[in-house]
Amino acid sequence: GIDFSATADGPTMSSELFDDYEEGTWTPVIRDSSDSGTIMAISTSATSYTKIGRMCTVQGLFRRSDVQSLTGTMFITALPFTSGNTLTVLGNLWLDTATDLFGRAYVGNGQSYFLVRGGDDHDAYWTTDQLLQNGYIYFGITYQTT
């Protein structure tokens, strides 16, 4: 547990609070299916994560750099940690296209990828063909890990 105590200078607490703190960079892998789908070529810039306890926040942006024809749901894979017993995440994404789509991330229980809902059809997941060549995705999401 955390040891809270008071001194003449005010309350203090032990350093155990941040014993499980980690930060670093990660490289998303974009696929048109969850495990073995075709990989979309991207240029990655400023992608990072911070994990405190079981909560992990990933943030950054990436740009599509290929012209291959992909269809199907967009899976943003290779999260730095597998998700825990959760079905939702906190966070938003912006797909910088001619129509500027905004979405909400979804991470299923025990997954290492997330899907995005939003845009013109709020009940549908983003598809790989919505991210055009040289298009950017900006994101910041928080999810619970195992």
Side-chain angles (χ1 to χ4, degrees):
I2 299 171
D3 177 29
F4 290 96
S5 58
T7 66
D9 296 326
T12 61
M13 64 182 148
S14 73
S15 63
E16 291 180 32
L17 182 62
F18 292 108
D19 281 351
D20 191 8
Y21 177 88
E22 182 179 338
E23 61 183 29
T25 60
W26 69 289
T27 302
V29 177
I30 315 309
R31 297 178 181 273
D32 61 359
S33 70
S34 63
D35 296 323
S36 60
T38 303
I39 296 174
M40 176 188 298
I42 61 170
S43 298
T44 304
S45 174
T47 54
S48 63
Y49 73 88
T50 302
K51 182 177 174 281
I52 301 173
R54 291 181 59 203
M55 299 306 293
C56 181
T57 298
V58 293
Q59 59 193 5
L61 64 95
F62 58 84
R63 180 180 64 86
R64 183 173 185 171
S65 58
D66 69 6
V67 293
Q68 65 183 327
S69 177
L70 294 175
T71 59
T73 301
M74 182 186 309
F75 289 80
I76 302 173
T77 69
L79 287 171
F81 301 94
T82 301
S83 67
N85 188 19
T86 182
L87 295 176
T88 59
V89 295
L90 303 171
N92 295 293
L93 292 95
W94 170 36
L95 180 62
D96 186 9
T97 66
T99 58
D100 283 339
L101 297 176
F102 296 91
R104 299 166 316 279
Y106 169 85
V107 177
N109 183 16
Q111 302 299 330
S112 60
Y113 63 83
F114 65 92
L115 304 169
V116 184
R117 287 188 136 174
D120 296 333
D121 182 354
H122 295 285
D123 292 327
Y125 292 114
W126 285 1
T127 59
T128 53
D129 59 348
Q130 289 176 285
L131 181 57
L132 305 175
Q133 182 185 18
N134 297 318
Y136 283 90
I137 289 183
Y138 302 84
F139 61 94
I141 69 168
T142 300
Y143 66 100
Q144 187 178 29
T145 66
T146 54

